[in-house]
Amino acid sequence: KNQVEQSPQSLIILEGKNCTLQCNYTVSPFSNLRWYKQDTGRGPVSLTIMTFSENTKSNGRYTATLDADTKQSSLHITASQLSDSASYICVVSVYGGSQGNLIFGKGTKLSVKP
Amino acid sequence: NAGVMQNPRHLVRRRGQEARLRCSPMKGHSHVYWYRQLPEEGLKFMVYLQKENIIDESGMPKERFSAEFPKEGPSILRIQQVVRGDSAAYFCASSEGPGQTYGYTFGSGTRLTVV
């Protein structure tokens, strides 16, 4: 069964600190992996997209890694800001699957405190 | 560019009523996707449409739910005879081409509450 598991479920950090969010998946065959940020009451916004051959991709203070062998990804946030408080969702696409059939994780809820 | 517009943002319906959720894709986007998010759950795919065509409805409940994306106007997700279990956030996304290649832009969602 295609699944995406994220950890931790929630995380509280102080402003300025770094943090790393984890994503494990069992989706097969794999097409690509995306990280989204979802603010409360809003739709998800794409942060990064990684294909099978990519190990690392950065977007400002966000750095995503992908290990296709162990089927793990991480999202590292550097020098956190209050505006980083949101849910971070890992999404995996099935290769050859329906164009709309993404597999979503439940997300990690990050709270950045002053 | 106003992005993906969903309305209403909040919708309250009594059990047995009909709910109509609207989604206007980004300008130039002809591919629309609907997702449902239950509290504390991840988004779940419902249906994928292109103009006037349903491409994949494998995530749609067999009864009471329908979707359309007419030649003119927004995409509509219709839920007939709503039940309490339909209470959720419904998100629409659009893409310029097949989403796996072009990426998806999400709307802010419609929060449906069935009382």
Side-chain angles (χ1 to χ4, degrees):
Chain A
K1 182 181 177 183
N2 290 325
Q3 282 187 313
V4 175
E5 301 286 342
Q6 292 188 243
S7 62
Q9 191 172 6
S10 61
L11 182 62
I12 300 174
I13 62 173
L14 293 177
E15 186 179 12
K17 298 296 185 182
N18 303 336
C19 67
T20 300
L21 314 180
Q22 300 291 343
C23 173
N24 297 338
Y25 61 93
T26 56
V27 177
S28 182
F30 173 86
S31 177
N32 57 59
L33 184 148
R34 294 172 164 90
W35 281 94
Y36 282 88
K37 178 185 179 187
Q38 185 176 20
D39 292 309
T40 301
R42 311 293 293 184
V45 175
S46 180
L47 295 175
T48 65
I49 176 171
M50 302 179 73
T51 59
F52 185 88
S53 58
E54 295 176 298
N55 300 119
T56 303
K57 184 165 281 190
S58 292
N59 177 3
R61 295 181 295 104
Y62 301 104
T63 299
T65 66
L66 175 64
D67 186 334
D69 291 330
T70 62
K71 298 187 177 181
Q72 296 180 325
S73 176
S74 66
L75 180 69
H76 186 75
I77 304 175
T78 305
S80 61
Q81 301 176 358
L82 298 178
S83 60
D84 292 332
S85 295
S87 285
Y88 291 84
I89 304 171
C90 177
V91 186
V92 181
S93 294
V94 180
Y95 180 81
S98 162
Q99 292 289 340
N101 201 353
L102 307 176
I103 313 298
F104 284 75
K106 294 183 180 181
T108 292
K109 188 170 184 179
L110 174 66
S111 296
V112 180
K113 304 294 186 184
Chain B
N1 191 338
V4 178
M5 303 301 293
Q6 289 189 249
N7 66 81
R9 289 295 307 275
H10 300 274
L11 182 62
V12 179
R13 283 288 177 267
R14 296 186 185 279
R15 281 178 294 171
Q17 290 185 319
E18 178 180 284
R20 279 184 169 233
L21 288 62
R22 295 175 183 77
C23 169
S24 296
M26 281 186 68
K27 188 176 181 180
H29 287 193
S30 59
H31 299 244
V32 166
Y33 316 81
W34 285 93
Y35 293 86
R36 176 164 61 176
Q37 186 175 33
L38 296 170
E40 308 302 322
E41 295 288 323
L43 276 74
K44 295 287 197 299
F45 167 75
M46 298 183 75
V47 62
Y48 164 37
L49 311 104
Q50 285 181 261
K51 281 289 186 182
E52 300 184 272
N53 290 307
I54 295 175
I55 307 302
D56 181 352
E57 57 181 348
S58 58
M60 288 277 271
K62 293 287 187 284
E63 297 176 350
R64 301 188 297 108
F65 286 72
S66 63
E68 62 178 8
F69 188 16
K71 188 176 181 180
E72 301 290 338
S75 175
I76 305 287
L77 179 67
R78 181 193 299 179
I79 311 172
Q80 295 178 300
Q81 299 176 328
V82 295
V83 301
R84 288 234 171 94
D86 296 333
S87 295
Y90 292 83
F91 289 94
C92 168
S94 73
S95 62
E96 180 181 353
Q100 290 203 22
T101 304
Y102 288 80
Y104 306 82
T105 302
F106 283 84
S108 294
T110 292
R111 274 141 195 86
L112 172 66
T113 302
V114 180
V115 297

